[in-house]
Amino acid sequence: MKAVCPGSFDPVTMGHLDIFRRAADHFDEVIVLVTGNPNKHSGLFTIEERMELIRKATADVPSITVDWWGGLLVDYTNANNVNALVKGLRTALDYEYELPMAQMNRRLSGIDTLFLLTDNKYGYISSSLSKEVAKYGGDVRGMLPDVVVEAVQAKYRELEE
Ligand code: PNS
């Protein structure tokens, strides 16, 4: 059975990583799918940089692979025989955001979205908050995988130059 964990992952956090790893306990193959258009640079990291950071952070789990997609998610899942989408839920706000997407994807292709409850130690962590903390020199160790901590710090140093 094959699952996709979709998202923008700009950048991947410890919370995302925990969901990928737990998904890999339930599926033979987990594809982390970075969505977006590689030709339109929006966000801190390019699509390729985000993919590379996820590859490095999941290198010890062979059943996790990384791909990208610039179109409708269900076109990717149909073309690749994906059995389910897997996402994390932190709060009721996530639920409100995710519910219509899960229902839309099910209407469009019949695919189910399975939700894993975020581990409470990662419940308040998001890509955007950790970027804001890092931008002003705050300590983001433990919120982001080590390789991402270094990459975010390097990116902000680069932007300051
Ligand atoms: O990390 P994000 O930004 O919350 O992820 C949202 C994402 C990428 C899952 C959603 O925007 C998406 O599925 N985009 C692909 C285009 C698509 O299929 N849109 C309709 C979703 S119902």
Side-chain angles (χ1 to χ4, degrees):
M1 296 279 273
K2 203 193 277 190
V4 156
C5 295
S8 40
F9 307 123
D10 183 38
V12 69
T13 67
M14 289 300 279
H16 295 134
L17 203 56
D18 184 54
I19 298 297
F20 306 157
R21 289 169 185 271
R22 286 160 59 196
D25 289 339
H26 299 279
F27 288 87
D28 305 306
E29 195 183 331
V30 172
I31 304 168
V32 179
L33 192 68
V34 180
T35 58
N37 183 340
N39 299 320
K40 274 196 205 144
H41 188 32
S42 63
L44 186 62
F45 291 97
T46 65
I47 302 285
E48 187 46 55
E49 286 170 335
R50 296 175 205 186
M51 290 173 70
E52 192 53 28
L53 291 172
I54 299 166
R55 278 193 206 102
K56 285 181 177 160
T58 57
D60 60 320
V61 189
S63 63
I64 300 179
T65 56
V66 186
D67 201 358
W68 75 272
W69 185 243
L72 209 52
L73 190 53
V74 292
D75 288 339
Y76 182 94
T77 55
N78 282 338
N80 292 279
N81 302 314
V82 175
N83 303 97
L85 299 167
V86 176
K87 301 191 101 184
L89 277 186
R90 290 166 300 191
T91 64
L93 273 182
D94 279 353
Y95 175 79
E96 299 287 342
Y97 173 67
E98 296 291 347
L99 180 69
M101 289 201 287
Q103 290 176 329
M104 179 61 81
N105 286 326
R106 186 160 157 75
R107 177 193 171 133
L108 293 174
S109 76
I111 197 161
D112 269 321
T113 304
L114 307 182
F115 292 102
L116 296 177
L117 296 182
T118 300
D119 189 294
N120 62 12
K121 55 181 182 291
Y122 304 129
Y124 58 92
I125 293 171
S126 64
S127 301
S128 49
L129 254 191
S130 30
K131 278 187 288 193
E132 186 169 314
V133 172
K135 183 177 176 182
Y136 296 107
D139 185 0
V140 288
R141 284 173 302 173
M143 297 181 204
L144 304 172
D146 290 345
V147 65
V148 180
V149 172
E150 284 168 30
V152 171
Q153 289 169 343
K155 189 66 98 173
Y156 282 122
R157 271 198 305 271
E158 198 180 291
L159 290 174
E160 269 174 21
E161 284 167 12

